[in-house]
Amino acid sequence: MNVSRTEIRFDDIEGGQVAHVALLGDKSLNVVDGDCLRGMAHDVAELCARPDLRCVLLRGRDARAFIGGANLDALHRLDRASAAHFIGSVHDLCAVLRAAPVPIVAVLQGYCLGAGLEVAAACDMRIGDFSVACGMPEVRVGVPSVVEAALLPGLIGWGKARELMLRGHIIDARESHAIGLLQHLVESSSLDELAGQIAADIVAGAPGAIAAQKRLFLAWEELPVSAAIDRGVPAFVEACSGEEPRRAIDAFFALQRERKRQGRA
């Protein structure tokens, strides 16, 4: 039986629902073990199956940590069999986030370490405040960084990714933003407003087009540039074979007409 490891609330806005999801790890730094991660994966997968869902804003339990890494007590007990279970659970949650048909925005505060940084890297965007502290400290507890740590070179470049994983140190919010790990860095008082603005922009997009874009992102990661370019052609043709582009364009022109009318009023 899967124990719920999330708190979820919804905002209903024009065009669909935005889900606010808190990941519920253990202890003060929101650390995780295999069962905890599988519970999170189950909850998020179930959530992403909702037809009216348009965006997920993913947070930690509170401002102290997004996910503070693996529970070291649990890590200390791992053997060959249980190690496979644990690291598979990290990958399972990341895979759910990457395959979601809607954008997942990681809203970071506090520590984001190890498995937590892999989860954040699996999201489509990362925003945070000045309390953010990121790192990949696995080598300091005797294991390499694996699974979705492989996403980091694409996000921050090979040099910074190697440095994070080999030094095992923690970088602050300013450096996280400077190297591209955070797309936006704001004061704590502005973080919710920024998250809402991003969610509103996403909901303004056409849901089928956004889902197709996310599928293309996954394909592009695996393909050479020429093949990635070619992969987009049938995706574009498929989109144009449905009614969504026409509805979206009609809505765009209707909005422009309404703005002009209000400008004359």
Side-chain angles (χ1 to χ4, degrees):
M1 182 177 67
N2 288 294
V3 177
S4 178
R5 282 295 191 159
T6 61
E7 287 180 352
I8 302 173
R9 65 176 179 86
F10 297 95
D11 283 341
D12 292 306
I13 62 178
E14 186 176 356
Q17 286 188 328
V18 176
H20 300 257
V21 179
L23 300 174
L24 306 180
D26 297 318
K27 302 186 179 183
S28 62
L29 290 188
N30 214 33
V31 295
V32 291
D33 60 19
D35 291 339
C36 175
L37 288 160
R38 290 190 190 280
M40 292 174 180
H42 173 270
D43 291 351
V44 174
E46 201 170 63
L47 169 68
C48 289
R50 293 174 64 104
D52 50 354
L53 184 69
R54 297 298 315 282
C55 177
V56 174
L57 301 175
L58 197 66
R59 300 175 180 267
R61 182 189 293 273
D62 56 39
R64 288 175 289 186
F66 177 69
I67 293 176
N71 184 324
L72 293 183
D73 291 331
L75 192 63
H76 190 267
R77 295 191 297 270
L78 293 181
D79 56 19
R80 180 175 292 272
S82 57
H85 176 273
F86 169 72
I87 204 61
S89 69
V90 178
H91 171 63
D92 287 348
L93 175 56
C94 292
V96 167
L97 298 173
R98 281 161 50 76
V102 301
I104 313 289
V105 181
V107 183
L108 304 183
Q109 291 182 284
Y111 288 101
C112 182
L113 305 177
L117 188 50
E118 292 170 39
V119 170
C123 296
D124 295 290
M125 286 169 261
R126 288 150 300 281
I127 65 175
D129 66 15
F130 286 89
S131 71
V132 169
C134 294
M136 296 296 290
E138 284 89 338
V139 293
R140 298 200 180 190
V141 294
V143 295
S145 297
V146 294
V147 290
E148 272 68 22
L151 298 174
L152 290 174
L155 295 175
I156 61 176
W158 274 105
K160 292 306 293 186
R162 286 174 186 257
E163 182 182 8
L164 278 179
M165 288 184 264
L166 294 175
R167 288 179 64 185
H169 65 312
I170 295 174
I171 61 173
D172 64 16
R174 286 182 174 83
E175 185 171 357
S176 297
H177 182 242
I179 65 176
L181 195 51
L182 292 176
Q183 277 70 63
H184 298 279
L185 175 61
V186 296
E187 298 290 346
S188 299
S189 58
S190 301
L191 190 58
D192 287 344
E193 180 183 1
L194 173 61
Q197 290 171 349
I198 291 172
D201 286 342
I202 288 168
V203 173
I210 286 177
Q213 191 69 70
K214 286 208 61 176
R215 291 192 296 272
L216 280 171
F217 289 155
L218 291 177
W220 288 346
E221 289 178 1
E222 303 293 333
L223 296 171
V225 173
S226 58
I229 291 169
D230 289 342
R231 179 65 66 90
V233 174
F236 183 84
V237 171
E238 178 65 23
C240 290
S241 67
E243 290 299 315
E244 188 175 79
R246 282 173 280 281
R247 289 197 301 267
I249 292 168
D250 287 344
F252 172 80
F253 284 129
L255 179 62
Q256 299 309 306
R257 290 192 294 271
E258 178 62 19
R259 286 175 174 170
K260 287 182 181 179
R261 186 190 67 78
Q262 291 179 353
R264 291 194 297 268

